[in-house]
Amino acid sequence: MSECPHFDHLLVIPRLRVQNANAISSPQTHGFPSMTAFLGAMWALERRTHEAGMDIQFNAVGVVCHAHQEQSSPGQYRNDAGAFHQTRNPIERDGSVAGIVQEGRIHLDLTLIFAVQGNALDAATDRGQLLAKQVRGHLDVMRIAGGSVVPANVSAHRQMPYVVALSGDEKGRNAKFQSAKLRWLPGSALVARDDLIAQRHQQLQTENSGSSRLDAWLSLSRINWHGDTAPGESKDAERRTVGWTHDRKGAGWIVPIPVGYGALSDVLDADMVANARDAETPFCFVESLYSMGEWLGAHRLQSPQQMLWYADSQPENGLYRCRNDYAPPAQYDFD
């Protein structure tokens, strides 16, 4: 089992306004970009900073969402996803409009937290803050999850990037993080809840031994209503009233999410697949991997590892996924 890579500092880019980011995170999910998109942005940012001569190693990324606006119209019924707002751009040579390719867009207000290390970083000096401003400058001209960074509608000092040094003993590191996270409110961070699939799978197997983990994922991805029959007030004993309950009460804000890719083929040489996007990188056919996530208020985080996502590549097993080390607090039954 992999763990979050070591880091000494948090590089915080607060209050980014991202316009028209990709709201379709996988063939099965929408509503927020995939965490793989933010890992890709982190690696692109690392390449840019290295080309600029900055000695910073980016190891993981956390995302705090302050606001979101998916570009879609509500459906007719409750919990209906509705329809995405589409564009028709005249891109054919003869001026005709090309066929619509389904696209989902979303506007986001984000704070990005990068787990970094490097000799150049030191929050106690002006050098660290200067590097943070330079990194923000590179990020402003990049694409983030397919969206563009535009000026945010908040004051300039709230957009100022900064570095949090997590040096010292564990108590000191924890105190600095507890102080830093309050600056990310109001906002929610996405954490992994792989454990929910195992729990739901075990529950379903008590009802049907043939249930699979896919059944558990589908069950968690929807709201399951159950009817409870209770004696009614009617004199007719055969007539009953039914109370309807669902299984989301007290469960938190859980959502289905993609977490990476699984290989469908061997890794092929770079020049073996025609029309590949990158002609210099080995190629592999993949499909999306799914899990469950939960949106938590930033004030509920107890350590930076709980919100950070990092890459876990296992080519020998055909797994290329992102991970998060969040563990839910223990529940005690005192009855």
Side-chain angles (χ1 to χ4, degrees), residues 156-316:
H157 78 275
R158 297 181 67 188
Q159 303 179 52
M160 191 69 67
Y162 56 93
V163 174
V164 180
L166 297 179
S167 56
D169 56 14
E170 183 176 355
K171 183 177 180 180
R173 292 164 61 98
N174 185 58
K176 291 180 180 177
F177 177 75
Q178 297 300 324
S179 175
K181 70 181 185 182
L182 298 180
R183 300 177 65 175
W184 308 331
L185 294 173
S188 299
L190 184 65
V191 301
R193 292 302 307 270
D194 298 358
D195 58 300
L196 292 178
I197 297 181
Q199 293 175 13
R200 182 59 61 92
H201 185 210
Q202 185 177 12
Q203 178 184 349
L204 292 179
Q205 283 201 319
T206 60
E207 304 168 359
N208 181 3
S209 59
S211 300
S212 65
R213 292 178 66 86
L214 175 60
D215 296 323
W217 184 77
L218 292 172
S219 176
L220 288 166
S221 301
R222 62 179 181 252
I223 300 176
N224 299 289
W225 289 87
H226 303 280
D228 299 323
T229 305
E233 296 179 353
S234 172
K235 295 181 179 179
D236 186 356
E238 298 296 329
R239 299 186 62 182
R240 305 288 185 179
T241 59
V242 178
W244 291 94
T245 59
H246 62 76
D247 58 356
R248 285 298 184 96
K249 186 176 181 180
W253 187 1
I254 59 173
V255 290
I257 57 172
V259 292
Y261 305 97
L264 295 174
S265 70
D266 295 331
V267 179
L268 308 174
D269 293 336
D271 56 351
M272 292 185 64
V273 179
N275 300 324
R277 179 181 295 181
D278 186 347
E280 299 179 354
T281 303
F283 190 96
C284 182
F285 291 94
V286 298
E287 63 178 352
S288 294
L289 301 176
Y290 299 95
S291 184
M292 298 302 298
E294 180 177 1
W295 288 101
L296 283 180
H299 62 289
R300 295 181 181 274
L301 299 170
Q302 300 303 315
S303 70
Q305 287 81 3
Q306 288 189 339
M307 64 175 299
L308 293 172
W309 291 80
Y310 56 95
D312 176 21
S313 296
Q314 302 177 30
E316 67 280 8

Side-chain angles (χ1 to χ4, degrees), residues 5-297:
H6 174 75
F7 57 93
D8 300 320
H9 299 79
L10 295 178
L11 175 56
V12 184
I13 312 294
R15 301 289 176 171
L16 277 175
R17 174 69 171 172
V18 182
Q19 194 172 59
N20 289 330
N22 186 9
I24 302 177
S25 54
S26 75
Q28 304 293 336
T29 57
H30 75 92
F32 195 79
S34 169
M35 290 308 300
T36 56
F38 293 102
L39 282 172
M42 180 187 74
W43 291 323
L45 180 62
E46 186 178 52
R47 288 193 291 270
R48 279 177 171 266
T49 55
H50 285 180
E51 291 173 357
M54 287 184 278
D55 180 21
I56 306 176
Q57 180 178 333
F58 291 72
N59 292 335
V61 60
V63 180
V64 174
C65 182
H66 305 288
H68 61 92
Q69 182 182 20
E70 192 172 42
Q71 301 302 292
S72 62
S73 298
Q76 182 178 1
Y77 305 103
R78 185 181 182 185
N79 299 325
D80 188 343
F84 289 115
H85 297 171
Q86 302 296 303
T87 59
R88 291 177 67 87
N89 303 315
I91 59 174
E92 298 293 343
R93 290 185 177 181
D94 59 357
S96 61
V97 178
I100 288 180
V101 177
Q102 182 82 347
E103 60 179 2
R105 294 167 294 149
I106 187 172
H107 302 334
L108 300 167
D109 290 335
L110 303 173
T111 290
L112 297 182
I113 299 100
F114 296 105
V116 297
Q117 61 183 27
N119 297 328
L121 285 168
D122 187 353
T125 68
D126 294 337
R127 179 62 178 165
Q129 300 307 120
L130 177 60
L131 285 175
K133 292 180 181 179
Q134 293 175 337
V135 171
R136 172 63 190 256
H138 287 287
L139 200 60
D140 283 346
V141 296
M142 290 174 52
R143 291 277 187 174
I144 298 177
S148 304
V149 178
V150 299
N153 188 26
V154 296
S155 59
H157 78 275
R158 297 181 67 188
Q159 303 179 52
M160 191 69 67
Y162 56 93
V163 174
V164 180
L166 297 179
S167 56
D169 56 14
E170 183 176 355
K171 183 177 180 180
R173 292 164 61 98
N174 185 58
K176 291 180 180 177
F177 177 75
Q178 297 300 324
S179 175
K181 70 181 185 182
L182 298 180
R183 300 177 65 175
W184 308 331
L185 294 173
S188 299
L190 184 65
V191 301
R193 292 302 307 270
D194 298 358
D195 58 300
L196 292 178
I197 297 181
Q199 293 175 13
R200 182 59 61 92
H201 185 210
Q202 185 177 12
Q203 178 184 349
L204 292 179
Q205 283 201 319
T206 60
E207 304 168 359
N208 181 3
S209 59
S211 300
S212 65
R213 292 178 66 86
L214 175 60
D215 296 323
W217 184 77
L218 292 172
S219 176
L220 288 166
S221 301
R222 62 179 181 252
I223 300 176
N224 299 289
W225 289 87
H226 303 280
D228 299 323
T229 305
E233 296 179 353
S234 172
K235 295 181 179 179
D236 186 356
E238 298 296 329
R239 299 186 62 182
R240 305 288 185 179
T241 59
V242 178
W244 291 94
T245 59
H246 62 76
D247 58 356
R248 285 298 184 96
K249 186 176 181 180
W253 187 1
I254 59 173
V255 290
I257 57 172
V259 292
Y261 305 97
L264 295 174
S265 70
D266 295 331
V267 179
L268 308 174
D269 293 336
D271 56 351
M272 292 185 64
V273 179
N275 300 324
R277 179 181 295 181
D278 186 347
E280 299 179 354
T281 303
F283 190 96
C284 182
F285 291 94
V286 298
E287 63 178 352
S288 294
L289 301 176
Y290 299 95
S291 184
M292 298 302 298
E294 180 177 1
W295 288 101
L296 283 180

